[in-house]
Amino acid sequence: MADLVADISATEEKFATEKDTLKGSAPVAPIPSQPPSNLSFPGSSSTLRQATSSNSIAATPPPPTSKPSKEELEEQIKADKIKLALEKLKEAKVKKLVVKVEIMDGSSKTLMVDERQTVRDVIDNLFEKTHCDCNVDWSVCETNPDLQTERGFEDHENLVEPLSTWTRDTENKVLFHEKKDKYEVFRNPQNFYMWKKDKKSLKDMKEKDKEQLLEENFCGASVIVPDLEGILYLKEDGKKSWKQRYFLLRASGLYYSPKGKTKASRDLVCLVQFDNVNVYYCKEYRIKYKAPTDHCFILKHSQIQKESQYIRYLCCDDEWTMTLWVTGIRIAKYGKQLYDNYKAAVRKAAGSATWASRSIQASSSASTPSPTPKGRDSIDQ
């Protein structure tokens, strides 16, 4: 508000000065009247006609600009004050955060982030500050030491919103590092949509077939979620025991059979819907919760920062199975937006690579000495 008052005062002083200048300006000299037509001057009539002709050729000077009246000046001052006040109020309402981002090499960067910026904007800003390559795997992630979790923010997300849920004494951190699984589904979609087939045949799939697979699943009227099903471990509510249950992924949510490993559709119950939850990777849950393996993930609301009955804990037999389920849940939650994020990241990486190539070529040309011109004597010989 101090800035707002200062700006308004400066505007008032500016217009007061203009008003004083207007009052003290000299009066405009009157335009001399034309001589009467009946007066005659010495000289021939031809000379008079020549002078009249040259005067008609000369351009007529523009009329003097009229000065604004006192009422108009006051109205303009009032309008400027209102405009300035509205701009200041609008800017003051924008939520901003100072964020410390830790880099892979152990360094850190401090950024001012506001609620109008997406994670993609923050990543581009970090590219400029760190001068790292702009490949699609770079991610802004959050870690929670209390829950021992990590999640990569999606590029379209607003970073200020989830960070605003952190408490003042939190030990959560924001990281900037590469995550190979961020867009792996778009580089090798066959591994996620045809996971039941032989791995060797999937490995040799041609690029044209991969593009067709992406077209079928992400460019239709609605996104097709990977047909994932299988046995996962589910942590029982309020206990540290884990039970094997049959799970099924659908666009509407994650379903399971409370009776065990049965696949009957009539026995399936929705464990969680994805509208208000995010998926997080977990660390050292074998120690913390006596999990069967180290490959665990949870589903929770971003506002939940400590242990809660509303968290769903899941465990997989291996890392690849965990990647399958986490990626499938992300696709079910975000749909085509995830594919749009990937294409934008590819364009950014391609543009950066082109610029880097041109810079290298320019520096190489500058470092190469130009040929020494021959002397006149050698040319004559």
Side-chain angles (χ1 to χ4, degrees):
M1 291 305 295
D3 294 340
L4 175 59
V5 173
D7 289 341
I8 293 176
S9 299
T11 305
E12 290 177 345
E13 291 177 3
K14 176 182 176 182
F15 282 105
T17 304
E18 291 181 2
K19 289 173 65 179
D20 294 338
T21 304
L22 180 62
K23 291 179 180 179
S25 60
V28 180
I31 300 173
S33 59
Q34 296 293 332
S37 58
N38 58 352
L39 292 180
S40 61
F41 296 92
S44 64
S45 60
S46 61
T47 305
L48 180 61
R49 287 195 298 269
Q50 184 177 359
T52 306
S53 175
S54 40
N55 286 340
S56 63
I57 297 174
T60 304
T65 305
S66 60
K67 295 290 184 179
S69 63
K70 181 180 178 181
E71 291 77 10
E72 290 175 340
L73 281 175
E74 291 177 352
E75 288 294 327
Q76 184 63 39
I77 292 173
K78 184 177 180 181
D80 288 342
K81 284 182 180 180
I82 295 173
K83 182 179 179 181
L84 182 61
L86 290 175
E87 289 177 354
K88 289 291 185 181
L89 289 174
K90 184 178 180 180
E91 184 67 23
K93 289 181 180 180
V94 175
K95 187 181 294 185
K96 300 177 182 179
L97 290 177
V98 177
V99 182
K100 181 182 179 181
V101 182
E102 296 190 0
I103 318 298
M104 290 181 64
D105 60 5
S107 63
S108 63
K109 300 292 181 182
T110 301
L111 307 176
M112 172 70 79
V113 182
D114 65 51
E115 61 183 351
R116 296 167 295 190
Q117 292 177 296
T118 64
V119 173
R120 180 75 249 176
D121 297 329
V122 176
I123 290 176
D124 292 342
N125 192 0
L126 287 168
F127 282 157
E128 295 178 2
K129 289 181 176 292
T130 59
H131 305 290
C132 61
D133 63 340
C134 302
N135 72 67
V136 300
D137 295 326
W138 283 100
S139 304
V140 175
C141 308
E142 66 167 329
T143 62
N144 184 320
D146 288 332
L147 293 174
Q148 297 175 202
T149 58
E150 179 178 317
R151 178 175 86 92
F153 295 110
E154 305 297 348
D155 287 357
H156 68 277
E157 285 188 80
N158 178 288
L159 187 61
V160 169
E161 184 177 347
L163 297 189
S164 299
T165 63
W166 293 4
T167 58
R168 288 185 174 271
D169 59 344
T170 184
E171 295 184 4
N172 294 7
K173 294 181 179 180
V174 177
L175 309 178
F176 182 55
H177 61 177
E178 293 180 271
K179 290 177 66 68
K180 297 298 182 182
D181 64 326
K182 181 179 180 179
Y183 291 130
E184 180 62 21
V185 64
F186 303 114
R187 287 189 289 250
N188 293 291
Q190 73 279 8
N191 294 335
F192 296 86
Y193 282 90
M194 305 169 66
W195 59 276
K196 295 180 181 180
K197 293 190 175 182
D198 180 60
K199 291 184 179 180
K200 185 178 180 180
S201 62
L202 297 179
K203 185 178 180 180
D204 299 332
M205 178 174 280
K206 298 179 180 180
E207 290 299 323
K208 184 178 180 180
D209 296 330
K210 293 180 183 180
E211 293 176 3
Q212 184 177 354
L213 193 59
L214 288 175
E215 186 79 17
E216 293 173 355
N217 291 284
F218 286 93
C219 299
S222 60
V223 170
I224 299 176
V225 176
D227 188 17
L228 279 177
E229 60 177 334
I231 304 298
L232 299 176
Y233 295 92
L234 175 65
K235 182 178 174 295
E236 294 186 306
D237 292 340
K239 300 179 182 179
K240 288 193 175 182
S241 59
W242 299 73
K243 300 294 184 180
Q244 285 186 320
R245 296 289 184 262
Y246 172 78
F247 279 85
L248 187 68
L249 179 65
R250 290 290 179 263
S252 57
L254 185 62
Y255 295 80
Y256 80 110
S257 174
K259 297 184 179 180
K261 302 179 183 180
T262 176
K263 297 183 180 181
S265 59
R266 63 179 178 275
D267 297 327
L268 294 179
V269 174
C270 182
L271 177 70
V272 64
Q273 293 180 325
F274 303 130
D275 293 338
N276 299 313
V277 300
N278 295 310
V279 58
Y280 299 77
Y281 287 105
C282 306
K283 297 180 179 179
E284 299 180 356
Y285 268 31
R286 265 190 169 181
I287 300 174
K288 186 177 180 67
Y289 293 117
K290 307 298 181 183
T293 73
D294 291 323
H295 313 294
C296 301
F297 66 92
I298 65 171
L299 293 159
K300 73 174 186 70
H301 194 282
S302 60
Q303 292 183 349
I304 300 176
Q305 297 295 312
K306 297 185 181 295
E307 291 188 27
S308 169
Q309 61 178 332
Y310 299 106
I311 299 177
R312 299 293 177 256
Y313 303 84
L314 296 154
C315 184
C316 307
D317 288 327
D318 53 70
E319 184 177 1
W320 172 242
T321 302
M322 179 177 63
T323 302
L324 272 177
W325 282 95
V326 170
T327 303
I329 291 171
R330 289 171 59 212
I331 294 172
K333 179 176 175 62
Y334 300 111
K336 192 175 183 298
Q337 181 65 64
L338 210 61
Y339 190 35
D340 293 338
N341 293 348
Y342 169 70
K343 290 187 289 186
V346 169
R347 288 193 297 270
K348 177 68 178 181
S352 175
T354 302
W355 177 257
S357 177
R358 290 178 179 176
S359 300
I360 293 173
Q361 290 176 1
S363 61
S364 176
S365 300
S367 61
T368 304
S370 58
T372 305
K374 295 181 180 181
R376 181 173 299 276
D377 295 339
S378 60
I379 295 176
D380 294 338
Q381 294 177 358

